[in-house]
């Protein structure tokens, strides 16, 4: 074993960073044995230097993160501050001063992964971020390394624990969205401002990262179609149950059937109870990967939390340290396919549509004609009538999002259609 330690700078010592520091200390001997050299915490950058940080020597704490990454003797910078700036500048400076980087920063990687990979490559350094997509769940390494000889066609995942907790509550208790969100907040599963989770921004960032890696192309944040789950109602769950389904907020990355383009999207969707993702409960995450040779794979586990996320960060740290010792770098960005990202209108899926209609003869035929005129074929229709009003639940065969939107627009203009109560995509069949 090499006796000179590898020096690690920790940027951020919050929920994840504090766990990384703890595990680095408690597992120091094992980490050294696995890496082939001891790993030394050389500095910890924070915002509030006076906060008590158990297990971290006070002399390691600094508020000058830039000076820490510029030291020149740092082997690996572990960025756990989050957000775009100063994280981006600190990572760039770290590369320029000879360090490799491990990060868990999905927002930054989704926004500027390509740029950061380019600098890493230029400087011949590693950029690893297993923790950025699904916490503890190994996903980036399996996609980038284990499946490097296969062809991935689809990645379908529950990548946000907060929203899965809320939807699971709604499903199991019949609660409405607000009630389930309040419970998630009380139990610490939802942030004070839950927008990033419930509006799908967090999942969209993860979808952008996953799609790029899975299909060896570049997928930006703006390429990801995004719909949150705040409009999902108890009535939607009742409809889903009637179809043998539940509702999940899914991140879906797909290669087109002709292989010439890809799509990435985040939205709530019905999935059959028999699908493995339907049984992912509480705040857990799971990602279902379909590839040519391997077939169907599922990755499951805790998608957030200090210790689980630190597990993924530590895995990256070990890999990067091993690379430092061997003088190599691991796999970088692979975007050689340069596949274009198609707009949402070209996505093809099935739909569950609830309409409030007048309860009189001929309405069903009128509605069916509108679907036919837009090339959307109906699979099943269920009608319930009461006091001159009726609800009509239509489930379609596969159709493009553009055709479905055209259908809904035309339905809204019919006198006999009082309103479109809900539109939900049906996935996983
Ligand atoms: N929490 C999770 O479950 C989870 C899961 C997956 C990925 N992630 C990602 O992990 C990263 C860290 O998340 P977290 O939950 O650990 O965040 P956090 O608890 O808010 O911790 C952030 C840390 O960064 C420090 N910091 C903030 N601004 C700084 C600055 N300008 N210079 C130096 N230090 C600064 C803070 O210092 P103070 O301690 O002094 O405030 C704090 O220690 C994020 O990218 C997040 O998306 C988190």
């Amino acid at each position: 074993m090499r006796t000179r330690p590898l020096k690690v700078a920790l940027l951020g010592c919050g929920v994840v960073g504090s766990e990384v520091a703890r595990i680095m200390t408690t597992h120091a001997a094992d980490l050294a044995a696995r890496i082939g050299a001891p790993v030394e915490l050389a500095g910890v950058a924070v915002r509030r230097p006076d906060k008590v940080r158990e297990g971290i020597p006070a002399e390691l704490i600094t508020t000058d993160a830039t000076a820490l990454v510029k030291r020149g003797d740092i082997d690996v910078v572990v960025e756990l501050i989050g957000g775009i700036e100063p994280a981006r500048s600190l990572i760039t400076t770290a590369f320029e001063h000879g360090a490799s980087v491990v990060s868990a920063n999905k927002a930054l990687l989704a926004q500027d992964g390509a740029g950061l990979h380019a600098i890493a490559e230029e400087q011949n350094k590693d950029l690893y971020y297993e923790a950025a997509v699904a916490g503890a769940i190994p996903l980036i390494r399996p996609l980038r390394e284990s499946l490097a000889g296969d062809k991935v066609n689809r990645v379908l995942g529950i990548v946000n624990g907060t929203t899965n907790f809320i939807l699971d509550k709604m499903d199991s208790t019949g609660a409405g969205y607000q009630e389930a969100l309040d419970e998630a907040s009380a139990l610490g599963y939802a942030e004070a401002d839950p927008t990033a989770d419930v509006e799908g921004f967090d999942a969209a960032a993860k979808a952008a990262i996953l799609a790029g890696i899975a299909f060896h192309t570049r997928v930006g944040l703006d390429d990801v179609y995004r719909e949150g789950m705040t409009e999902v109602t108890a009535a939607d769950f009742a409809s889903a149950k009637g179809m043998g389904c539940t509702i999940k907020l899914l991140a879906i990355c797909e290669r087109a059937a002709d292989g010439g383009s890809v799509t990435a999207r985040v939205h709530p969707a019905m999935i059959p109870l028999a699908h493995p993702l339907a049984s992912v409960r509480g705040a857990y995450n799971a990602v279902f990967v379909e590839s040519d040779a391997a077939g169907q794979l599922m990755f499951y586990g805790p998608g957030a939390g200090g210790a689980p996320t630190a597990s993924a960060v530590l895995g990256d740290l070990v890999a990067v340290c091993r690379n430092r010792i061997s003088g190599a770098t691991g796999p970088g960005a692979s975007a050689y396919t340069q596949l274009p990202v198609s707009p949402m209108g070209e996505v093809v899926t099935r739909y569950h549509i609830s309409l409030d209609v007048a309860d009189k003869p001929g309405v069903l035929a009128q509605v069916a004609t509108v679907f036919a005129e837009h090339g959307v074929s109906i699979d099943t229709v269920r009608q319930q009538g009461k006091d001159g009003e009726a609800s009509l639940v239509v489930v379609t065969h596969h159709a493009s999002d553009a055709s479905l939107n055209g259908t809904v627009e035309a339905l809204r203009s019919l006198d006999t259609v009082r309103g479109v109560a809900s539109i939900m995509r049906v996935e996983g069949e």
Side-chain angles (χ1 to χ4, degrees), residues 212 215-218 332-339:
F215 307 131
H216 299 266
T217 189
R218 289 219 166 97
S334 167
Y336 73 93
T337 63
Q338 296 186 18
L339 290 169

Side-chain angles (χ1 to χ4, degrees), residues 11-18 45-49 51 53 62-65 79-83 85-87 90 103-107 131-136 191 202 206 303-306 309 313:
L11 310 184
C13 192
V15 174
V16 182
S18 59
V46 295
R47 205 174 20 189
R48 295 166 295 167
K51 192 175 165 214
R53 300 180 199 263
T62 174
T63 52
D64 194 346
E79 184 276 310
L80 295 168
I81 292 175
E85 285 295 347
L90 290 168
S103 174
N105 193 333
K106 59 213 125 182
V133 173
E191 306 262 347
D202 174 80
K206 293 165 175 176
T309 308
V313 172

